Amino acid sequence: MIPLLSLTDVRVCRGESPVLDAVSLSLRRRDRLAIVGPNGAGKTTLLRTLVGLERPASGRVRLFGQDCTTEAEFRAARPRIGFLFQDSDDQLF
């Protein structure tokens, strides 16, 4: 079964410092995943990378079987991905 979302050896940096380093992840239909960790662990950066709001310095992002490297490729996949803020008031107001 083709993964719905996958990251392969993704690296995202802030300046010279890596926030995500060689991260690989694959989610298939009916998979469930909890992303937990302390502040600054890279949880939000991981999710922002999956939807194309952060661009990796290296590695590969695939959404619904399509490699995503350009804004147009991410834009085509975004209607199928939900991204919610932890505090719903930040999203509504």
Side-chain angles (χ1 to χ4, degrees):
M1 183 183 317
I2 295 174
L4 298 174
L5 311 169
S6 69
L7 300 174
T8 307
D9 295 324
V10 167
R11 180 180 176 94
V12 177
C13 298
R14 296 279 184 278
E16 296 293 319
S17 301
V19 177
L20 303 176
D21 191 13
V23 171
S24 293
L25 166 71
S26 180
L27 292 174
R28 290 177 170 71
R29 186 179 180 99
R30 294 190 177 92
D31 282 352
R32 300 292 184 259
L33 172 69
I35 301 172
V36 297
N39 288 347
K43 302 177 300 288
T44 300
T45 300
L46 173 70
L47 296 174
R48 289 174 54 87
T49 301
L50 273 170
V51 298
L53 298 176
E54 297 270 351
R55 296 300 168 88
S58 62
R60 178 173 153 181
V61 178
R62 284 182 65 84
L63 304 175
F64 310 104
Q66 172 71 39
D67 279 329
C68 291
T69 56
T70 67
E71 176 62 24
E73 291 165 338
F74 280 105
R75 192 177 311 121
R78 284 184 191 135
R80 299 178 67 186
I81 300 172
F83 189 92
L84 303 173
F85 294 100
Q86 180 175 349
D87 184 352
S88 59
D89 286 343
D90 289 343
Q91 188 166 334
L92 299 174
F93 304 103

